[in-house]
C-alpha cells in the first residue's frame, strides 16, 4: 500500500465516522423534538378521555384538569407518560395522577389511561387509539369511568384479568411516585 | 421462499406480539427496509476499509442501533401514539434483523444472504400478511398509517368478530400460522421447490 492509498483510506474513515456521528446527532434531535410532540398528543388524548368519563370516578366528583408531565424515576420505563391532575382551581398537591400506559394483551399493545388519587385509588378510564373506537357500531372502549360504557366490561381490547393486574401495578407505581415527594 | 419465511418467523419472534394492526406491519416493513439498506451499505464499507473480522459484528450492531434510533425518532415525529406503543420493539427489530441475517448465513440458504432481495422480500410479505390477517380477524378493520395518525376502515361486521376474534389474537394467530405452513407443505408446494423446506 502506497502512502497515497493510506492517506485516502484515512480520509475515508474520518468521513465515515463523521457521517455516523451526523446520523446519531440527527437521531438525537428527532427523538428530542419527537418526544415533545408525543407528549402533547398523548396529553390531548388523555384530556379527551377524562372529558368523556363520569365525574363520579374522580376525587371530589369533579373532572380534573390534566397538567404537567411528571418525569418519575425508578418506577419503570413503561410509565413514560404520567401527568399530574387536579380539579380546576386546585393545585398539583391534590396528589391525583394520570397514567397513559401501553398495555400488552392478547390483541396487541393498547394505550390505556388510568387515574389515581390517594382518596379514590386507581381507576381505568379508557383507551386511546383502539380500532373499536373507529367503528360506528361500537361506542367506545368502555373504561370504568365511561359514561355510556359498561363498567364491568373494558371492551374487546383488554381482558378483565390483565386490567386488574395493571390497576394494581399502577396503584403501586403511583405510591412510589409520591414516596419521595412530588417530582418536578 | 418457504424456508426464508420460516427463518424470518423465528428471528422476528420478539416483534410478533405487537403486530396487531396492519399499520404496524407497514411500519415494520419500512423499518426492515431501512435496516436492510443500512446493513448492506455498512457491509460494503467495512469490506472496503479492510476491517478485521472481529470488529465487523460490533460495527454492524452499532450501525443497526443508530438506524433503529433514527427510525424511532422519525416515528415519534410522524406517528406519536404508535411510537409509544411500539417503543422497545423498534429496537428489538434491529436485533431480529441481525439474527435473521446470521441464520441465513449459517444455513447457507443456497448461496443467498440477506444482502440479496429474495430473503428480505419473503419477510416483508410475511409481516404484511400476518398483521393484516390479525387486524381483520380481531378488530374487523384495516388500518392505514397517514401523517399524524392512522385511518381505520371497518371491513367485518361486529357480529362476525365473535367467531373470528380468537384467530386474530396473538395465540390464535400463531396456531393459524402453523396451520398455514403445514397446509402449504401438505398441498405439495414442497415438491415444487428444488431445496428441501423446513
Amino acid at each position: 500500500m502506497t502512502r497515497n492509498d493510506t492517506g485516502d483510506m484515512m480520509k475515508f474513515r474520518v468521513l465515515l465516522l463523521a457521517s455516523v456521528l451526523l446520523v446519531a446527532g440527527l437521531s438525537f434531535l428527532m427523538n428530542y423534538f419527537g418526544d415533545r410532540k408525543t407528549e402533547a398528543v398523548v396529553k390531548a388524548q388523555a384530556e379527551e378521555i377524562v372529558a368523556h368519563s363520569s365525574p363520579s370516578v374522580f376525587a371530589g366528583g369533579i373532572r380534573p384538569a390534566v397538567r404537567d408531565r411528571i418525569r418519575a424515576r425508578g418506577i419503570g420505563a413503561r410509565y413514560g407518560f404520567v401527568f399530574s391532575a387536579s380539579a380546576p382551581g386546585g393545585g398539583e398537591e391534590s396528589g391525583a395522577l394520570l397514567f397513559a400506559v401501553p398495555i400488552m394483551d392478547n390483541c396487541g399493545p393498547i394505550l390505556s389511561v388510568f387515574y389515581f388519587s390517594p382518596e379514590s385509588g386507581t381507576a381505568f378510564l379508557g383507551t386511546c387509539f383502539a380500532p373499536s373506537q373507529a367503528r360506528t357500531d361500537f361506542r367506545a372502549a368502555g373504561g370504568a369511568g365511561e359514561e355510556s360504557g359498561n363498567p364491568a366490561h373494558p371492551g374487546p381490547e383488554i381482558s378483565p384479568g390483565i386490567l386488574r393486574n395493571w390497576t394494581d401495578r399502577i396503584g403501586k407505581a403511583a405510591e412510589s411516585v409520591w414516596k419521595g415527594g412530588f417530582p418536578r | 421462499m418457504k424456508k426464508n419465511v420460516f427463518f424470518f418467523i423465528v428471528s422476528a419472534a420478539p416483534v410478533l406480539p405487537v403486530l396487531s394492526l396492519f399499520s404496524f406491519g407497514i411500519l415494520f416493513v419500512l423499518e426492515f427496509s431501512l435496516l436492510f439498506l443500512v446493513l448492506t451499505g455498512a457491509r460494503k464499507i467495512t469490506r472496503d476499509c479492510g476491517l478485521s473480522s472481529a470488529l465487523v459484528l460490533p460495527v454492524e450492531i452499532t450501525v443497526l442501533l443508530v438506524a433503529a434510533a433514527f427510525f424511532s425518532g422519525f416515528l415519534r415525529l410522524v406517528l406519536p401514539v404508535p411510537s409509544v406503543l411500539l417503543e422497545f420493539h423498534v429496537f428489538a427489530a434491529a436485533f431480529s434483523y441481525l439474527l435473521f441475517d446470521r441464520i441465513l448465513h449459517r444455513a447457507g440458504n443456497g448461496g443467498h444472504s440477506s444482502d440479496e432481495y429474495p430473503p428480505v422480500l419473503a419477510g416483508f410479505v410475511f409481516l404484511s400478511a400476518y398483521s393484516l390477517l390479525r387486524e381483520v380477524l380481531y378488530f374487523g378493520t384495516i388500518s392505514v398509517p397517514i401523517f399524524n395518525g392512522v385511518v381505520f376502515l371497518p371491513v367485518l361486521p361486529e357480529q362476525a368478530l365473535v367467531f373470528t376474534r380468537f384467530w386474530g389474537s396473538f395465540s390464535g394467530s400463531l396456531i393459524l400460522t402453523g396451520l398455514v405452513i403445514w397446509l402449504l407443505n401438505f398441498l405439495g408446494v414442497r415438491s415444487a421447490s428444488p431445496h428441501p423446506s423446513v
Side-chain angles (χ1 to χ4, degrees), chain A residues 13 35 37 106-107 135 156, chain B residues 20 76-77 138 148 156 170:
Chain A
R13 283 179 183 174
D35 192 55
K37 187 178 176 183
N106 221 1
C107 73
R135 301 183 70 94
Chain B
S20 56
R76 276 174 181 265
L77 276 176
Y138 197 94
N148 254 359
L156 281 184
F170 179 49

Side-chain angles (χ1 to χ4, degrees), chain A residues 9 12-13 16 23 26-27 30-31 34-35 37-38 77 81 104 106-111 129 131 134-135 137 156, chain B residues 18 20 45 48-49 69-70 72-74 76-77 84-85 134 138-140 148 150 152 156-158 165 169-171:
Chain A
M9 187 54 80
F12 179 67
R13 283 179 183 174
L16 191 68
V23 173
L26 195 65
S27 301
M30 282 169 81
N31 273 289
D35 192 55
K37 187 178 176 183
T38 305
F81 292 93
M104 180 72 84
N106 221 1
C107 73
I110 298 285
L111 190 61
F129 194 74
R135 301 183 70 94
D137 53 350
Chain B
V18 291
S20 56
I45 289 168
D48 291 348
C49 279
F70 181 83
S72 167
F74 167 77
R76 276 174 181 265
L77 276 176
V84 175
L85 295 174
R134 267 188 78 179
Y138 197 94
F139 297 110
N148 254 359
V150 170
F152 294 101
L156 281 184
E158 183 80 30
R165 190 157 276 153
S169 66
F170 179 49
S171 40

